[in-house]
Amino acid sequence: MSLSIFLLWLVSIPISIHSLPPPTDIHINCGASEELNEGGVKWMTDEGFITVGNKTTLSTPDLTPFLSSLRFFSDEKARKYCYVVPVTKGAKYIVRTTYYYGAYDGGKEPPLFDQIIDGSKWSTVNTSENYSKGLTSFYEIAVAAMGRKLSVCLARNKRTKSNPFISALEVVFMENSMYNSTDFTKYALSTVARGRFGFEGKIMSYPDDPFYRYWAAYSDNVNMAVTSHSNITATDFWNLPPARAFETALTQSRGKQLQIKWPAIYLPSASYYIALYFQDNRNPSPYSWRVFSITVDGKNFYKNLNVSTSGVAVFGTQWPLAGQTEIVLTPDEASPVGPVINAGEILQIVPLGGRTLARDAVSMEDIAKSFKNRPADWTGDPCLPPRHSWTGLVCSHGKNVRVVSMDLTGIGVSGTLSPSIANLTAVTDIWLGDNKLSGSIPNLSPLKYLASLHLENNELSGKIPITLGRLDSLRELFLQNNKFEGEVPPMLKSKKGLRIMV
């Protein structure tokens, strides 16, 4: 099995591969019962990052320890299952999910399901081919944190036939310079391929790459592999590629084109971020330079690039690719030697689907904390993606994504009504009847669009708030079969157009 083949969003790696995290990064061993230190790596349990799902262990021989457990999700009613990780608002991260099925459920083939980053669908997880070859699969995306928490969710789709699962989740901080030609407020970058050219060894990662990116070997039978005779400084390059990525290269004779078809798989028609890395491999001297032009799929990528022993990188953003990608380096007539290429990255540009208005999202988090026995999918973004909003919520999807309706009638919710419910200022309907809610009704006077409030058949107490009479849009108020004290406020009794049951 060639380790040079990187699949779209999915990379083939041996099940024994692992990487070492720095102290500030998060490596989660999903489904594990205790922390694992492996080769200096601290793999945390997933307790505190997720509240749903079931844990299990695998008995696969010689399996890397951090893959020997997983978490799976059997609740078919839940719209998504989310890990929530603390992050620094505005910072950029590499997020990686790792999957090894191990026939944990007695099946023969892994399930297909979707994964979501915050409020955006990221990709569909399909690990069947890799699993049939005894390989793990991982998916990787570069994304900016829009808040202080980042959610990574799994969700069923129409092709999901068994329970989604996950083996590991990693969230790695990126330096600000990395991939900074991308507008991370609008896009994320999903890894397609990352290769070391002219190399045939194992995948390179940490500690050579402090950001844990996997650099796979790539060579062919057409171009010559060469070794560099001088070192480069990784910090001289925006994307901070590891210095070892420049140790080998592919080249051609003087005057000849260098052509590579990389990655080896066909890409769907989309926009991509491309980064290519070059270094003259000879000993440093006044003659250690070469000039060539670069085309990608026949289109000019860079003209007359001058490559020295110090190395150079070129980037393309929003670059259209489809099918087999061909990179061609054409030497300048005056160049003393042929073209050379050391490494490359291709990442698909993923348009972000937006986020629920921050005020509503924070309010819903507070409400979720005040509820017990709440729906299993009440984590992650409350409204997005639209097919995977929280159970019981209806949201608007105009300029701002807002919560406009909440219906948890008769699902057994207990706990109290958080005062934060009054911050859902776009809400028109709140239906929480036939549950076990206790405590008092908070001040709901900011809810000027509230038309119906159903709190019947609960265990609410205290006085019925006079402020409910100030809600001009309120047309339906059901409060019967609770433990309220005192009389119904006269303002409510006399309110025209209000149907009230107490």
Side-chain angles (χ1 to χ4, degrees):
M1 174 67 185
S2 171
L3 294 181
S4 65
I5 298 178
F6 275 53
L7 303 182
L8 179 65
W9 294 303
L10 181 150
V11 187
S12 303
I13 59 172
I15 59 178
S16 61
I17 290 292
H18 62 270
S19 56
L20 308 177
T24 56
D25 298 326
I26 296 175
H27 291 234
I28 299 173
N29 186 7
C30 301
S33 299
E34 57 186 22
E35 288 187 355
L36 171 68
N37 287 282
E38 183 184 351
V41 184
K42 180 182 179 181
W43 288 92
M44 308 169 65
T45 69
D46 57 11
E47 300 298 329
F49 298 104
I50 193 165
T51 59
V52 297
N54 301 285
K55 301 187 292 185
T56 191
T57 57
L58 303 177
S59 57
T60 305
D62 302 321
L63 187 64
T64 298
F66 81 85
L67 295 176
S68 63
S69 64
L70 59 83
R71 183 175 287 269
F72 67 93
F73 306 93
S74 57
D75 185 351
E76 296 184 12
K77 294 181 180 180
R79 296 179 181 178
K80 56 188 173 187
Y81 321 95
C82 297
Y83 281 84
V84 179
V85 179
V87 290
T88 300
K89 184 177 180 179
K92 294 185 295 189
Y93 294 86
I94 293 176
V95 178
R96 183 158 57 227
T97 53
T98 303
Y99 301 92
Y100 183 71
Y101 173 54
Y104 77 91
D105 56 359
K108 295 181 179 180
E109 188 171 339
L112 275 68
F113 50 91
D114 294 334
Q115 54 184 358
I116 298 164
I117 189 85
D118 275 346
S120 302
K121 180 183 174 180
W122 167 9
S123 64
T124 296
V125 175
N126 184 351
T127 66
S128 295
E129 181 178 354
N130 278 7
Y131 178 67
S132 68
K133 299 174 181 177
L135 299 172
T136 61
S137 303
F138 79 79
Y139 295 69
E140 182 182 280
I141 196 166
V143 64
M146 297 297 136
R148 296 180 180 177
K149 297 178 181 179
L150 185 71
S151 63
V152 181
C153 311
L154 310 182
R156 295 170 184 266
N157 59 38
K158 293 181 180 179
R159 297 185 294 167
T160 305
K161 296 181 180 180
S162 56
N163 297 326
F165 72 97
I166 185 170
S167 303
L169 170 63
E170 300 169 82
V171 180
V172 177
F173 174 80
M174 289 197 301
E175 294 291 341
N176 189 55
S177 69
M178 296 172 67
Y179 313 109
N180 66 359
S181 59
T182 300
D183 184 351
F184 280 96
T185 65
K186 297 180 179 179
Y187 305 101
L189 297 176
S190 183
T191 301
V192 175
R194 186 174 287 118
R196 297 176 65 188
F197 299 146
F199 184 73
E200 296 183 350
K202 296 180 179 179
I203 288 175
M204 177 184 65
S205 187
Y206 187 84
D208 297 299
D209 188 327
F211 307 101
Y212 312 97
R213 293 167 294 185
Y214 292 135
W215 298 79
Y218 177 87
S219 60
D220 57 30
N221 298 322
V222 178
N223 302 293
M224 295 177 289
V226 293
T227 302
S228 176
H229 291 84
S230 60
N231 296 324
I232 62 99
T233 302
T235 53
D236 291 341
F237 297 84
W238 283 352
N239 288 348
L240 303 177
R244 286 192 61 196
F246 291 84
E247 287 183 350
T248 61
L250 293 175
T251 190
Q252 267 294 351
S253 304
R254 179 180 179 179
K256 290 187 177 181
Q257 285 186 332
L258 188 158
Q259 301 177 0
I260 59 172
K261 293 184 177 181
W262 175 83
I265 47 90
Y266 285 73
L267 303 182
S269 179
S271 294
Y272 295 82
Y273 175 97
I274 303 174
L276 302 175
Y277 304 94
F278 311 89
Q279 181 196 24
D280 191 305
N281 64 292
R282 297 171 295 169
N283 289 316
S285 77
Y287 305 100
S288 299
W289 57 270
R290 56 186 85 199
V291 177
F292 50 86
S293 296
I294 308 163
T295 63
V296 176
D297 288 348
K299 298 179 181 179
N300 290 327
F301 191 78
Y302 201 97
K303 287 188 175 182
N304 300 321
L305 181 68
N306 192 327
V307 176
S308 69
T309 56
S310 297
V312 64
V314 293
F315 310 93
T317 61
Q318 298 283 350
W319 194 268
L321 296 176
Q324 177 66 70
T325 302
E326 183 177 53
I327 300 171
V328 178
L329 313 182
T330 302
D332 183 82
E333 293 181 358
S335 185
V337 288
V340 66
I341 184 168
N342 298 75
E345 297 180 90
I346 296 180
L347 303 97
Q348 184 168 355
I349 297 172
V350 179
L352 298 177
R355 302 174 69 235
T356 299
L357 186 74
R359 178 175 179 171
D360 282 19
V362 171
S363 299
M364 288 307 306
E365 288 179 6
D366 291 343
I367 294 167
K369 290 177 184 177
S370 70
F371 283 172
K372 298 178 182 178
N373 303 317
R374 60 184 179 268
D377 52 22
W378 272 42
T379 53
D381 191 288
C383 294
L384 295 171
R387 289 183 58 248
H388 302 292
S389 62
W390 290 8
T391 291
L393 295 191
V394 176
C395 302
S396 64
H397 294 279
K399 182 179 178 181
N400 293 314
V401 179
R402 304 292 308 273
V403 176
V404 296
S405 176
M406 183 190 311
D407 182 0
L408 298 180
T409 304
I411 68 168
V413 176
S414 59
T416 61
L417 289 174
S418 169
S420 293
I421 200 169
N423 294 328
L424 300 176
T425 53
V427 74
T428 60
D429 303 283
I430 298 175
W431 290 23
L432 299 172
D434 300 303
N435 285 297
K436 298 179 181 179
L437 295 171
S438 58
S440 60
I441 299 176
N443 179 9
L444 302 180
S445 57
L447 304 183
K448 61 181 180 179
Y449 298 112
L450 185 65
S452 64
L453 178 62
H454 282 243
L455 298 174
E456 70 274 14
N457 303 323
N458 277 285
E459 299 173 7
L460 297 167
S461 59
K463 293 184 177 182
I464 298 174
I466 191 173
T467 53
L468 292 175
R470 300 171 187 162
L471 299 176
D472 292 339
S473 298
L474 191 63
R475 295 293 176 267
E476 212 170 59
L477 178 62
F478 285 18
L479 301 177
Q480 69 270 28
N481 298 325
N482 279 285
K483 299 177 181 179
F484 294 118
E485 303 169 1
E487 299 294 325
V488 177
M491 183 179 293
L492 277 174
K493 285 184 177 181
S494 62
K495 185 175 177 59
K496 292 183 179 181
L498 175 63
R499 183 188 178 195
I500 182 170
M501 297 187 68
V502 181

